Amino acid sequence: MKTLIAGVLLVLSTGLLATSAAFAAGPKADLEQVKIDLHDQAGLQRGAKYYINYCMGCHSVKFSRYNRVALDLGLTEEQVAENFIFTRAKGEKTKIGDLMTNGMSAEDSERWFGVTPPDLSLVGRSRGGDWIYSFLKAFYVDPARPLGVNNTVFANAGMPHVLWELQGWQEMATKDDGEGGTEKTLTLAQPGSASPEEYDQIITDITNFLVYVGEPARLHRTTIGWWVLLFLSIFAVLAYLLKKEYWKDVH
Ligand code: HEC
């Protein structure tokens, strides 16, 4: 019994250690926090729409299928086929059961951006929501860069500011922070068609969608967890009663 308890404690403490190490290596303090809500279905639908319109041209999400997204986001397959699918493969329109790839070849993109835009299926897990959200908010005008923009979260990123029409253009202002360093702030030099609050909502929706895509099973996992716990507690009672019944002649 003692060894069993010691074993359980060991497993638990290793788990805790691993989790704290993951947090330690996680997001840096200067990232803005985003509120991820995977149960906000309307938000996820908007996020998917923005993603398809503004990002899919360069970034595939090739671990997802259109019909899975339709199912998870509460959309009909017709709605998805009509509003989300713009690609063709061998002359035929991409099918609802196909993977969410795009038509950009690695050589072309390398030539245009100097680097191939990565597939973003797992970016919600590798970078995390706060990073994606802060990155989409941190583009600023920088004439020294080939694309005319830079990014405070991802310095010298090879990605253009694709949402400039919505956000507008930010400029970097530097000032002395009084401690020998410089304080950098971004100011909106030229507003876009969305207000800053609307823009924050748009990039929250896109981030929410990318976090969902990174682990679609998460939508259902937590619900299943409760059913498993319920089953185990009922089963424990039955097992106890059975044990009592078996041992009643011995004791
Ligand atoms: C015109 C092509 C293009 C479009 C459109 C585009 N991106 Fe990018 N994106 C890139 C390129 C190129 C990179 C790689 C940058 C680098 O490594 O320097 C990149 C990198 C990224 C990264 C960082 C990935 C990583 O882990 O390094 C994220 C996140 C990202 N893009 C999100 C988006 C989102 C969200 C949208 C839509 C709002 C979008 N991108 C639209 C070209 C594009």
Coordinates of all heavy atoms in Angstrom, one line a residue, residues 50-59 104 109 112-120 122-124 126-128 131-133 135-136 139 145 147 154-163 199 202-203 206-207 210, ligand 1:
Y50 N -12.8 35.3 -41.5 CA -11.7 36.2 -41.6 C -10.5 35.4 -42.1 O -9.7 35.8 -42.9 CB -11.3 36.9 -40.3 CG -12.3 38.0 -39.9 CD1 -12.9 38.0 -38.6 CD2 -12.7 39.0 -40.8 CE1 -13.8 38.9 -38.3 CE2 -13.6 40.0 -40.4 CZ -14.1 39.9 -39.1 OH -15.0 40.9 -38.8
Y51 N -10.3 34.3 -41.4 CA -9.1 33.4 -41.8 C -9.1 33.1 -43.2 O -8.1 33.2 -43.9 CB -9.0 32.2 -40.9 CG -7.7 31.5 -41.1 CD1 -6.6 31.9 -40.4 CD2 -7.6 30.5 -42.0 CE1 -5.4 31.3 -40.6 CE2 -6.3 29.9 -42.3 CZ -5.3 30.3 -41.6 OH -4.0 29.7 -41.8
I52 N -10.3 32.6 -43.7 CA -10.4 32.2 -45.1 C -10.1 33.4 -46.0 O -9.4 33.2 -47.0 CB -11.8 31.6 -45.4 CG1 -12.1 30.5 -44.5 CG2 -11.9 31.2 -46.9 CD1 -11.6 29.1 -44.9
N53 N -10.6 34.5 -45.7 CA -10.5 35.7 -46.6 C -9.1 36.3 -46.5 O -8.7 36.8 -47.5 CB -11.6 36.7 -46.2 CG -12.9 36.3 -46.7 OD1 -13.1 35.9 -47.9 ND2 -13.9 36.4 -45.9
Y54 N -8.5 36.4 -45.4 CA -7.3 37.1 -45.2 C -6.0 36.3 -45.1 O -4.9 36.8 -45.3 CB -7.4 38.1 -44.0 CG -8.3 39.2 -44.2 CD1 -9.6 39.2 -43.7 CD2 -7.9 40.4 -45.0 CE1 -10.5 40.3 -43.8 CE2 -8.8 41.4 -45.1 CZ -10.1 41.4 -44.6 OH -10.9 42.5 -44.7
C55 N -6.1 35.1 -44.7 CA -4.9 34.3 -44.4 C -4.7 33.1 -45.2 O -3.6 32.7 -45.5 CB -5.0 33.9 -42.9 SG -5.6 35.1 -41.8
M56 N -5.8 32.4 -45.6 CA -5.7 31.1 -46.3 C -4.9 31.1 -47.6 O -4.3 30.2 -48.0 CB -7.1 30.6 -46.6 CG -7.8 29.5 -46.0 SD -6.9 28.0 -45.7 CE -7.8 27.0 -46.9
G57 N -4.9 32.3 -48.3 CA -4.2 32.4 -49.5 C -2.7 32.1 -49.3 O -2.1 31.5 -50.2
C58 N -2.2 32.4 -48.2 CA -0.8 32.1 -47.9 C -0.6 30.9 -46.9 O 0.3 30.1 -47.1 CB -0.1 33.3 -47.3 SG 0.1 34.7 -48.4
H59 N -1.5 30.9 -45.9 CA -1.3 29.8 -44.9 C -2.4 28.8 -44.9 O -3.6 29.0 -44.6 CB -1.5 30.4 -43.4 CG -0.4 31.5 -43.1 ND1 0.9 31.1 -42.8 CD2 -0.5 32.8 -43.0 CE1 1.5 32.2 -42.5 NE2 0.7 33.3 -42.6
M104 N -0.8 27.8 -53.1 CA 0.5 28.5 -53.2 C 1.7 27.5 -53.2 O 1.7 26.6 -52.4 CB 0.7 29.4 -52.1 CG 1.9 30.3 -52.2 SD 2.1 31.4 -50.8 CE 1.1 32.7 -51.3
S109 N 6.3 31.3 -53.1 CA 6.2 32.0 -51.9 C 7.6 32.4 -51.4 O 7.9 33.5 -50.9 CB 5.4 31.3 -50.8 OG 5.9 30.0 -50.7
W112 N 8.6 35.4 -53.3 CA 7.9 36.6 -52.9 C 8.3 37.1 -51.6 O 8.4 38.3 -51.3 CB 6.4 36.4 -53.0 CG 5.9 36.1 -54.4 CD1 6.4 36.5 -55.5 CD2 4.8 35.2 -54.7 NE1 5.7 36.0 -56.6 CE2 4.7 35.3 -56.1 CE3 3.8 34.5 -54.0 CZ2 3.7 34.6 -56.8 CZ3 2.8 33.8 -54.7 CH2 2.8 33.8 -56.1
F113 N 8.3 36.2 -50.6 CA 8.5 36.7 -49.2 C 9.9 36.3 -48.6 O 10.1 36.6 -47.5 CB 7.4 36.1 -48.3 CG 6.0 36.2 -48.8 CD1 5.3 35.2 -49.3 CD2 5.5 37.5 -48.9 CE1 4.0 35.3 -49.8 CE2 4.2 37.7 -49.5 CZ 3.5 36.6 -49.9
G114 N 10.6 35.5 -49.4 CA 11.9 35.1 -48.8 C 11.8 33.9 -47.9 O 12.8 33.3 -47.5
V115 N 10.6 33.5 -47.6 CA 10.3 32.4 -46.7 C 8.9 31.9 -47.0 O 8.0 32.6 -47.4 CB 10.5 32.8 -45.2 CG1 10.0 34.2 -45.0 CG2 9.7 31.9 -44.3
T116 N 8.7 30.5 -46.9 CA 7.4 30.0 -47.2 C 6.5 30.2 -46.0 O 6.8 29.9 -44.9 CB 7.5 28.5 -47.5 OG1 8.5 28.3 -48.5 CG2 6.2 27.9 -47.9
P117 N 5.3 30.8 -46.2 CA 4.4 31.0 -45.1 C 4.0 29.6 -44.5 O 3.6 28.7 -45.2 CB 3.1 31.6 -45.7 CG 3.6 32.1 -47.0 CD 4.7 31.3 -47.5
P118 N 4.3 29.4 -43.2 CA 4.0 28.1 -42.6 C 2.6 27.7 -42.5 O 1.7 28.6 -42.5 CB 4.6 28.2 -41.2 CG 4.6 29.7 -40.9 CD 4.7 30.4 -42.2
D119 N 2.3 26.4 -42.5 CA 0.9 25.9 -42.3 C 0.6 26.3 -40.8 O 1.4 26.2 -40.0 CB 0.9 24.4 -42.5 CG -0.4 23.8 -42.2 OD1 -1.2 23.8 -43.1 OD2 -0.7 23.4 -41.0
L120 N -0.6 26.8 -40.6 CA -0.9 27.3 -39.3 C -1.8 26.3 -38.5 O -2.5 26.7 -37.5 CB -1.6 28.6 -39.3 CG -0.7 29.8 -39.8 CD1 -1.4 31.1 -39.7 CD2 0.7 29.8 -39.1
L122 N -1.1 24.1 -36.3 CA -0.7 23.9 -35.0 C -0.2 25.1 -34.3 O 0.3 25.0 -33.1 CB 0.4 22.8 -34.9 CG -0.1 21.4 -35.4 CD1 1.0 20.4 -35.4 CD2 -1.2 20.9 -34.5
V123 N -0.3 26.3 -34.9 CA 0.3 27.5 -34.3 C -0.4 27.9 -33.0 O 0.3 28.4 -32.1 CB 0.3 28.6 -35.4 CG1 -1.0 29.3 -35.5 CG2 1.4 29.7 -35.0
G124 N -1.7 27.5 -32.9 CA -2.4 27.8 -31.7 C -1.7 27.1 -30.5 O -1.8 27.6 -29.4
S126 N 1.8 25.8 -30.7 CA 3.2 26.1 -30.6 C 3.5 27.5 -30.1 O 4.3 27.7 -29.3 CB 3.9 25.9 -32.0 OG 3.3 26.8 -33.0
R127 N 2.7 28.5 -30.6 CA 2.9 29.9 -30.2 C 2.0 30.3 -29.1 O 2.3 31.2 -28.3 CB 2.7 30.8 -31.4 CG 3.7 30.6 -32.6 CD 5.0 31.2 -32.3 NE 5.7 31.5 -33.5 CZ 7.0 32.0 -33.5 NH1 7.6 32.3 -32.4 NH2 7.6 32.3 -34.7
G128 N 0.8 29.8 -29.2 CA -0.2 30.1 -28.2 C -1.1 31.4 -28.6 O -0.6 32.1 -29.4
W131 N 0.3 35.0 -28.1 CA 1.4 35.4 -29.1 C 0.7 35.8 -30.4 O 1.0 36.8 -31.0 CB 2.3 34.3 -29.3 CG 3.6 34.7 -30.1 CD1 4.7 35.1 -29.6 CD2 3.7 34.7 -31.5 NE1 5.6 35.4 -30.6 CE2 5.0 35.2 -31.8 CE3 2.9 34.4 -32.6 CZ2 5.5 35.3 -33.1 CZ3 3.3 34.5 -33.9 CH2 4.6 35.0 -34.1
I132 N -0.2 35.0 -30.9 CA -0.9 35.3 -32.2 C -1.6 36.6 -32.2 O -1.5 37.4 -33.1 CB -1.9 34.1 -32.6 CG1 -1.2 32.8 -32.6 CG2 -2.6 34.4 -33.9 CD1 -2.1 31.6 -32.8
Y133 N -2.4 36.8 -31.1 CA -3.1 38.0 -30.9 C -2.2 39.3 -30.9 O -2.4 40.2 -31.6 CB -3.9 37.9 -29.6 CG -4.7 39.2 -29.3 CD1 -5.9 39.5 -29.8 CD2 -4.2 40.1 -28.3 CE1 -6.6 40.6 -29.5 CE2 -4.9 41.2 -28.0 CZ -6.1 41.5 -28.6 OH -6.8 42.6 -28.2
F135 N 0.9 39.5 -32.0 CA 1.5 39.6 -33.3 C 0.7 40.3 -34.3 O 1.1 41.2 -35.0 CB 1.9 38.1 -33.8 CG 2.3 38.0 -35.2 CD1 3.5 38.6 -35.6 CD2 1.6 37.3 -36.2 CE1 4.0 38.4 -37.0 CE2 2.0 37.1 -37.5 CZ 3.2 37.7 -37.9
L136 N -0.6 40.0 -34.4 CA -1.5 40.6 -35.4 C -1.8 42.1 -35.0 O -2.3 42.8 -35.8 CB -2.9 39.8 -35.4 CG -2.8 38.4 -36.0 CD1 -4.1 37.7 -35.9 CD2 -2.3 38.4 -37.4
F139 N 2.1 45.1 -36.0 CA 2.7 45.6 -37.3 C 2.9 47.1 -37.3 O 2.0 47.8 -36.9 CB 1.9 45.2 -38.5 CG 2.0 43.7 -38.8 CD1 1.1 42.8 -38.4 CD2 3.1 43.2 -39.6 CE1 1.2 41.4 -38.7 CE2 3.2 41.9 -39.9 CZ 2.2 41.0 -39.4
R145 N 12.4 47.9 -44.2 CA 12.2 46.5 -44.5 C 11.7 46.3 -45.9 O 11.0 47.2 -46.4 CB 11.1 45.9 -43.5 CG 11.5 45.9 -42.0 CD 12.6 44.9 -41.7 NE 12.1 43.6 -42.2 CZ 13.0 42.6 -42.5 NH1 14.3 42.8 -42.5 NH2 12.5 41.4 -43.0
L147 N 9.2 44.7 -47.2 CA 7.7 44.9 -47.3 C 7.2 46.2 -46.7 O 6.0 46.4 -46.7 CB 7.0 43.7 -46.7 CG 7.3 42.3 -47.3 CD1 6.8 41.2 -46.4 CD2 6.7 42.2 -48.7
F154 N 7.4 39.8 -33.6 CA 8.2 38.9 -34.4 C 9.0 39.9 -35.3 O 8.6 40.3 -36.4 CB 7.2 38.1 -35.3 CG 7.8 37.0 -36.1 CD1 7.0 36.1 -36.8 CD2 9.2 37.0 -36.3 CE1 7.6 35.1 -37.6 CE2 9.8 36.0 -37.1 CZ 9.0 35.1 -37.7
A155 N 10.2 40.2 -34.8 CA 11.0 41.2 -35.4 C 11.4 40.7 -36.8 O 11.8 39.5 -37.0 CB 12.3 41.5 -34.6
N156 N 11.4 41.6 -37.8 CA 11.8 41.3 -39.2 C 11.0 40.1 -39.8 O 11.6 39.4 -40.6 CB 13.3 41.0 -39.3 CG 14.1 42.2 -38.8 OD1 13.6 43.3 -38.8 ND2 15.3 41.9 -38.4
A157 N 9.8 40.0 -39.4 CA 8.9 38.9 -40.0 C 8.8 39.1 -41.5 O 8.7 40.3 -42.0 CB 7.6 38.9 -39.3
G158 N 8.7 38.0 -42.2 CA 8.6 38.1 -43.7 C 7.1 38.2 -44.1 O 6.8 37.9 -45.2
M159 N 6.2 38.6 -43.2 CA 4.8 38.6 -43.5 C 4.3 40.1 -43.7 O 4.6 40.9 -42.9 CB 4.0 38.0 -42.4 CG 2.5 38.1 -42.6 SD 1.6 37.0 -41.4 CE 0.2 38.1 -41.1
P160 N 3.6 40.4 -44.8 CA 3.1 41.7 -44.9 C 1.9 42.0 -43.9 O 1.4 41.0 -43.3 CB 2.5 41.7 -46.4 CG 2.4 40.3 -46.8 CD 3.2 39.5 -45.9
H161 N 1.6 43.3 -43.7 CA 0.5 43.5 -42.8 C -0.8 43.4 -43.6 O -1.4 44.3 -44.1 CB 0.6 45.0 -42.2 CG -0.4 45.3 -41.2 ND1 -1.2 44.4 -40.6 CD2 -0.8 46.5 -40.8 CE1 -2.0 45.0 -39.8 NE2 -1.8 46.3 -39.9
V162 N -1.3 42.1 -43.6 CA -2.5 41.8 -44.4 C -3.8 42.5 -44.0 O -4.7 42.6 -44.7 CB -2.7 40.3 -44.6 CG1 -1.5 39.7 -45.3 CG2 -2.9 39.6 -43.3
L163 N -3.8 42.8 -42.7 CA -5.1 43.4 -42.2 C -5.0 45.0 -42.1 O -5.8 45.6 -41.4 CB -5.4 42.9 -40.8 CG -5.6 41.4 -40.7 CD1 -5.6 40.9 -39.2 CD2 -6.8 40.9 -41.4
Y199 N -11.2 46.2 -34.3 CA -10.0 45.5 -34.7 C -9.6 44.4 -33.7 O -9.3 43.3 -34.0 CB -8.8 46.4 -35.1 CG -7.6 45.7 -35.6 CD1 -7.7 45.2 -36.9 CD2 -6.5 45.5 -34.9 CE1 -6.6 44.5 -37.5 CE2 -5.4 44.8 -35.4 CZ -5.5 44.3 -36.7 OH -4.4 43.6 -37.2
I202 N -11.8 41.6 -34.1 CA -11.5 40.8 -35.3 C -10.3 39.8 -35.0 O -10.4 38.6 -35.3 CB -11.2 41.7 -36.5 CG1 -12.5 42.4 -36.9 CG2 -10.6 40.9 -37.6 CD1 -12.3 43.6 -37.8
I203 N -9.2 40.4 -34.4 CA -8.1 39.5 -34.2 C -8.3 38.5 -33.1 O -7.7 37.5 -33.1 CB -6.7 40.3 -34.1 CG1 -6.8 41.3 -32.9 CG2 -6.4 41.0 -35.4 CD1 -5.5 42.0 -32.7
I206 N -10.0 35.7 -34.9 CA -9.0 34.9 -35.7 C -8.2 34.0 -34.8 O -8.0 32.8 -35.1 CB -8.1 35.8 -36.5 CG1 -8.9 36.7 -37.6 CG2 -7.0 35.0 -37.3 CD1 -8.1 37.7 -38.3
T207 N -7.7 34.6 -33.7 CA -6.9 33.8 -32.7 C -7.7 32.7 -32.2 O -7.3 31.5 -32.1 CB -6.4 34.7 -31.6 OG1 -5.8 35.9 -32.2 CG2 -5.5 34.0 -30.7
L210 N -7.8 29.9 -34.6 CA -6.6 29.2 -34.7 C -6.3 28.3 -33.5 O -5.7 27.2 -33.6 CB -5.4 30.2 -34.9 CG -5.3 30.7 -36.4 CD1 -4.2 31.8 -36.5 CD2 -5.0 29.6 -37.4
Ligands
HEC1 C1 0.8 37.3 -48.3 C2 1.0 36.1 -47.6 C3 0.6 36.0 -46.2 C4 -0.7 36.3 -45.7 C5 -2.0 36.6 -46.5 C6 -0.7 36.0 -44.3 N1 0.6 35.7 -43.9 FE1 1.1 35.1 -42.0 N2 3.0 34.8 -42.7 C7 3.5 35.0 -44.0 C8 4.9 34.6 -44.1 C9 5.7 34.7 -45.3 C10 5.3 34.3 -42.7 C11 6.6 33.8 -42.3 C12 7.4 35.0 -41.7 C13 8.8 34.7 -41.3 O1 9.1 33.5 -40.9 O2 9.6 35.6 -41.4 C14 4.1 34.4 -41.9 C15 4.0 34.0 -40.6 C16 2.9 34.0 -39.8 C17 2.8 33.6 -38.4 C18 4.0 33.1 -37.6 C19 4.1 31.6 -37.7 C20 5.3 31.1 -36.9 O3 5.0 30.3 -36.0 O4 6.4 31.5 -37.2 C21 1.5 33.7 -38.0 C22 0.9 33.3 -36.6 C23 0.8 34.2 -39.1 N3 1.6 34.4 -40.2 C24 -0.6 34.5 -39.1 C25 -1.3 35.0 -40.1 C26 -2.7 35.3 -40.1 C27 -3.6 35.1 -38.9 C28 -3.0 35.8 -41.3 C29 -4.4 36.3 -41.7 C30 -4.9 37.5 -40.9 C31 -1.8 35.8 -42.1 N4 -0.8 35.3 -41.4 C32 -1.8 36.1 -43.5 C33 2.7 35.4 -45.1 C34 1.4 35.7 -45.0

